[in-house]
Amino acid sequence: MTTKHLRQFKDALKQDSLRMTSQRLAILDDVLGSEEHRECDDIYLSLRQKKVPVSRATIYRTLDILEKAGFVRKMDIGDGRFRYENKLAQTHHDHMICLKCGKIIEFMDREIERRQDQIASDNGFHLVKHSHQLYGLCGACQDLPAAEDQSAPASKA
Amino acid sequence: MTTKHLRQFKDALKQDSLRMTSQRLAILDDVLGSEEHRECDDIYLSLRQKKVPVSRATIYRTLDILEKAGFVRKMDIGDGRFRYENKLAQTHHDHMICLKCGKIIEFMDREIERRQDQIASDNGFHLVKHSHQLYGLCGACQDLPAAEDQSAPASKA
DNA sequence: ATATATATGAGAATGAGACTCAATAAGGAT
DNA sequence: ATCCTTATTGAGTCTCATTCTCATATATAT
Ligand SMILES: [Mn+2]
Ligand SMILES: [Mn+2]
Ligand SMILES: [Zn+2]
Ligand SMILES: [Zn+2]
């Protein structure tokens, strides 16, 4: 985590009369140190391993703050648990998810983005965000005859 | 509900050694009689009003059957409750949802659909389905100064 | 250092949806 | 029409991610 990001976080907190705490700092640091799509418990376990005393409630609360401040992106891949990803490390993209092994491939298509804006505009909507996921079977999982899963599959649409 | 749809349902049931019951028939009829995006409880209340004795468990179970048989589409608009829509009445489309009043506008863009296929293909994925929602403020809700909600807003991405 | 508002965490609450299992009902066979 | 096997139903229980409660702890302004 850079000094710039720290300053940015402190400013965001002050903006809302929120206080800097060791937990919030540790959560920000942990989140910025990963490029994965992690759920609350991934972050919780990572912090505990680092001997950071923190509760799930605080992680959820802090992730909300980080989302509002633009540090993380909260995403619903349809399996009932939210995933959070470092938003500073990457530009905007959407996700393609393997229904069998959970593998995630990121994609970005300027034309799709453009058309989303157009559709909103055509309908008088002020677009705030979008959620776009492609679900299927990755190359590896297509080959397996009728084999076992490796990870948490996404089951909902 | 047409005789054709009834036949289609009976066939689908027989295919899986499932039986026709008054509840299943009532649920199919109710679902085919609406073009809205309804959650389990909407259907539950609609059926109770018609004096159909049915439980939520049966509605969930039957909607799963109807989804597999292609009668309904199950969709996750990100607020924690699934919506179900009559799939026979419409061709494929995706949804734009007002974050304030819950209004849903349907859209379909051939180019977006085409590009989704291309992205999957480029990455060796066998595409099974996609989930694509645009979130924002509808025209009416943009005008309201800072007013009250009307319906259940979608809060998650 | 004090005052005061905010933050934390343990545990309880929430809520959609899935599951259990005893009682009920379909429907093929006769 | 009746039997018999197997599927279905529903009341209630359970799950599990996330949110809430509230007493205690801590950050920050002065
Ligand atoms: Mn990503
Ligand atoms: Mn629709
Ligand atoms: Zn896979
Ligand atoms: Zn609206």
Side-chain angles (χ1 to χ4, degrees):
Chain A
M1 189 181 48
T2 68
T3 334
K4 178 187 158 203
H5 293 152
L6 183 58
R7 157 83 11 83
Q8 200 177 330
F9 188 40
K10 283 181 175 168
D11 289 349
L13 290 175
K14 189 161 291 179
Q15 202 76 23
D16 290 326
S17 302
L18 300 176
R19 295 171 182 175
M20 172 59 83
T21 65
S22 61
Q23 286 88 346
R24 287 178 177 168
L25 187 57
I27 293 167
L28 174 64
D29 185 61
D30 195 84
V31 163
L32 294 188
S34 167
E35 311 250 329
E36 290 165 60
H37 305 88
R38 301 190 298 163
E39 59 189 86
C40 173
D41 251 45
D42 291 329
I43 297 169
Y44 178 68
L45 294 175
S46 167
L47 289 171
R48 297 213 91 193
Q49 214 160 2
K50 295 182 193 169
K51 308 296 182 196
V52 176
V54 70
S55 69
R56 288 181 176 81
T58 294
I59 294 176
Y60 280 117
R61 287 187 284 231
T62 303
L63 285 170
D64 279 352
I65 295 170
L66 294 178
E67 187 192 18
K68 280 176 197 133
F71 288 94
V72 300
R73 181 171 177 205
K74 180 179 184 176
M75 49 179 281
D76 179 358
I77 67 170
D79 64 354
R81 277 163 287 143
F82 288 112
R83 303 304 151 91
Y84 300 86
E85 69 177 322
N86 180 343
K87 195 175 170 186
L88 299 183
Q90 291 166 292
T91 56
H92 173 73
H93 58 267
D94 294 298
H95 302 93
M96 178 156 57
I97 301 142
C98 178
L99 291 166
K100 186 164 250 173
C101 72
K103 177 176 182 179
I104 296 181
I105 288 185
E106 305 182 331
F107 70 87
M108 212 294 273
D109 184 293
R110 294 194 188 292
E111 184 61 18
I112 289 178
E113 300 289 326
R114 192 176 357 256
R115 285 179 177 261
Q116 290 178 142
D117 291 342
Q118 186 64 51
I119 290 162
S121 153
D122 288 348
N123 289 280
F125 257 67
H126 170 63
L127 200 56
V128 172
K129 64 186 175 183
H130 64 262
S131 172
H132 193 184
Q133 285 89 235
L134 308 183
Y135 294 96
L137 294 177
C138 72
C141 288
Q142 286 170 58
D143 295 340
L144 301 178
E148 64 278 65
D149 295 19
Q150 330 251 26
S151 155
S155 61
K156 305 171 180 180
Chain B
M1 188 181 47
T2 67
T3 334
K4 179 186 157 204
H5 293 151
L6 184 57
R7 157 84 9 82
Q8 200 177 328
F9 188 39
K10 283 182 174 167
D11 289 350
L13 290 176
K14 190 160 289 178
Q15 202 77 23
D16 289 328
S17 301
L18 300 176
R19 294 172 183 176
M20 172 60 83
T21 66
S22 61
Q23 286 87 349
R24 287 178 178 168
L25 187 57
I27 293 167
L28 174 64
D29 185 60
D30 196 84
V31 164
L32 293 188
S34 166
E35 309 250 330
E36 290 166 60
H37 305 88
R38 301 191 297 165
E39 59 189 87
C40 173
D41 252 45
D42 291 329
I43 298 168
Y44 178 68
L45 293 174
S46 167
L47 289 171
R48 297 213 92 194
Q49 214 160 2
K50 296 181 193 168
K51 307 295 181 196
V52 176
V54 70
S55 69
R56 288 181 175 81
T58 295
I59 294 177
Y60 280 118
R61 288 186 284 231
T62 302
L63 285 170
D64 278 352
I65 294 171
L66 293 178
E67 187 192 17
K68 279 175 197 134
F71 288 94
V72 300
R73 181 171 177 205
K74 180 179 185 177
M75 51 178 279
D76 179 358
I77 67 170
D79 65 353
R81 276 162 289 144
F82 288 114
R83 302 306 150 92
Y84 300 85
E85 67 177 322
N86 180 344
K87 194 175 171 186
L88 298 183
Q90 291 166 293
T91 55
H92 172 73
H93 58 265
D94 292 298
H95 301 94
M96 178 157 57
I97 300 143
C98 178
L99 291 167
K100 185 163 250 173
C101 72
K103 177 176 182 179
I104 296 181
I105 289 185
E106 305 182 330
F107 70 87
M108 211 297 272
D109 184 293
R110 293 196 189 292
E111 184 61 19
I112 290 178
E113 300 289 327
R114 193 177 355 259
R115 285 182 176 260
Q116 290 178 143
D117 291 341
Q118 187 63 50
I119 289 162
S121 153
D122 287 349
N123 288 280
F125 257 67
H126 170 64
L127 199 56
V128 172
K129 63 185 175 184
H130 64 262
S131 173
H132 192 185
Q133 285 89 233
L134 307 184
Y135 295 95
L137 293 178
C138 72
C141 288
Q142 286 169 58
D143 296 339
L144 301 178
E148 64 277 64
D149 295 19
Q150 331 252 25
S151 155
S155 61
K156 304 171 180 180

